[in-house]
Amino acid sequence: MGKVIRVTIWNEFRHEKSQDRTGEIVRSIYPEGMHKTIGAELAAPDLEIRYATLDEPEHGLPDEVLNSTDVLIWWGHMAHGEVRDELVDKIQRRILSGMGLIVLHSGHFSKIFRRMMGTSCSLLWREVGEKERIWTVEPAHPIARGVPATFTLPNVEMYGERFDIPQDGRIIFLSWYEGGNVFRSGVAFERGHGRIFYFSPGHETYPIFKDENVIRIIGNAVRWAAPEDWYEISCPNSPAPEEIRTPDPNRK
Ligand code: ZN
């Protein structure tokens, strides 16, 4: 066996604590939070799993945690805006140096995913509990190892095209929904020295993170995204627009 992969599962962990009907439903499925279920389902000898949540100091990702994380899993939804930009800068730098990032479901609108993509990451959505059929379009890819050619999830939130992501993503899974929409539901990217995988299933009011195929895909993605080596990145951030704006010499 190779070296152990240090995985940190980050969950916004707000739906689970909310005192409304949705909170009750989410707690009934994920009593300790989605992150704990994902971690328990992923548990394996080659993974060392830690957890981090939004309301912890430094959002659960102080330097000593982030700098000892090989692969970061990210689930967020209602509080993307509360994630501090300095942390997003640090995560970006860590990814460019080699860290893997697995972005789940509504994490498509997280600051870190939008930062790494450079696009809006907008999509269509509809929540009526419809069926999703997922198709494996790259069965030879490591993320598809052991995943059937197609499988279904009985109740999901629909995420549909157009999904505003860059065109260099490798599409590993495609989804069809009962309502007729289609979606690039599993897409793999490389940014700097880091690998990024976006996977759309994972709406909080359905037990999607207990589905064996979903967990197999996330586990495969973790192992695919784990870095072999690290590379120092000196200056990952683009200058702010005002810093690169120069006077137009032809302007009167
Ligand atoms: Zn959702």
Side-chain angles (χ1 to χ4, degrees):
M1 196 177 74
K3 61 184 176 186
V4 168
I5 301 168
R6 300 165 298 175
V7 182
T8 303
I9 304 175
W10 192 93
N11 182 13
E12 184 180 276
F13 199 33
R14 287 280 180 85
H15 285 295
E16 292 93 332
K17 294 186 278 191
S18 78
Q19 296 305 311
D20 56 6
R21 179 70 190 127
T22 300
E24 280 174 35
I25 295 167
V26 179
R27 278 193 295 281
S28 73
I29 303 166
Y30 302 111
E32 295 180 83
M34 280 178 272
H35 52 304
K36 292 288 180 67
T37 295
I38 294 168
E41 296 284 336
L42 285 179
D46 63 329
L47 305 182
E48 180 187 302
I49 296 173
R50 288 178 292 181
Y51 303 99
T53 58
L54 177 67
D55 293 325
E56 292 173 75
E58 301 190 62
H59 304 323
L61 294 173
D63 290 351
E64 60 268 29
V65 174
L66 186 60
N67 293 337
S68 60
T69 295
D70 296 318
V71 179
L72 180 64
I73 298 176
W74 195 274
W75 195 103
H77 179 223
M78 63 198 288
H80 295 311
E82 292 182 41
V83 176
R84 294 198 350 259
D85 291 328
E86 309 88 87
L87 177 62
V88 179
D89 293 344
K90 287 180 183 176
I91 299 171
Q92 177 188 25
R93 186 189 179 106
R94 180 83 178 156
I95 294 166
L96 294 175
S97 299
M99 185 177 75
L101 176 71
I102 314 298
V103 176
L104 300 173
H105 190 59
S106 39
H108 73 94
F109 263 160
S110 63
K111 285 185 179 179
I112 186 57
F113 188 58
R114 296 170 79 172
R115 170 79 63 86
M116 300 314 296
M117 296 295 102
T119 55
S120 76
C121 302
S122 62
L123 46 75
L124 295 183
W125 59 275
R126 172 177 61 235
E127 195 184 341
V128 295
E130 67 204 271
K131 179 168 80 177
E132 175 176 1
R133 176 172 289 282
I134 295 164
W135 292 89
T136 303
V137 296
E138 292 293 354
H141 194 281
I143 298 178
R145 192 169 293 140
V147 178
T150 183
F151 65 97
T152 60
L153 298 170
N155 302 105
V156 303
E157 175 184 26
M158 185 280 292
Y159 272 8
E161 299 287 345
R162 185 175 182 267
F163 185 19
D164 188 27
I165 51 174
Q167 297 301 320
D168 64 317
R170 181 107 187 256
I171 302 167
I172 317 295
F173 301 102
L174 267 182
S175 285
W176 164 93
Y177 299 85
E178 218 172 340
N181 300 77
V182 294
F183 191 65
R184 289 167 285 169
S185 48
V187 191
F189 298 89
E190 294 180 14
R191 289 293 182 272
H193 301 290
R195 291 176 168 182
I196 300 171
F197 181 62
Y198 174 78
F199 191 50
S200 62
H203 184 67
E204 65 274 7
T205 58
Y206 305 113
I208 291 169
F209 294 126
K210 297 177 179 179
D211 180 272
E212 66 170 328
N213 289 310
V214 167
I215 290 298
R216 184 182 302 276
I217 289 166
I218 296 171
N220 286 347
V222 165
R223 294 167 178 99
W224 167 79
E228 293 289 328
D229 290 298
W230 293 93
Y231 300 87
E232 258 323 297
I233 299 296
S234 55
C235 185
N237 300 323
S238 305
E242 53 275 15
E243 292 176 310
I244 55 173
R245 192 180 299 137
T246 52
D248 181 348
N250 299 318
R251 188 157 177 185
K252 295 284 186 300

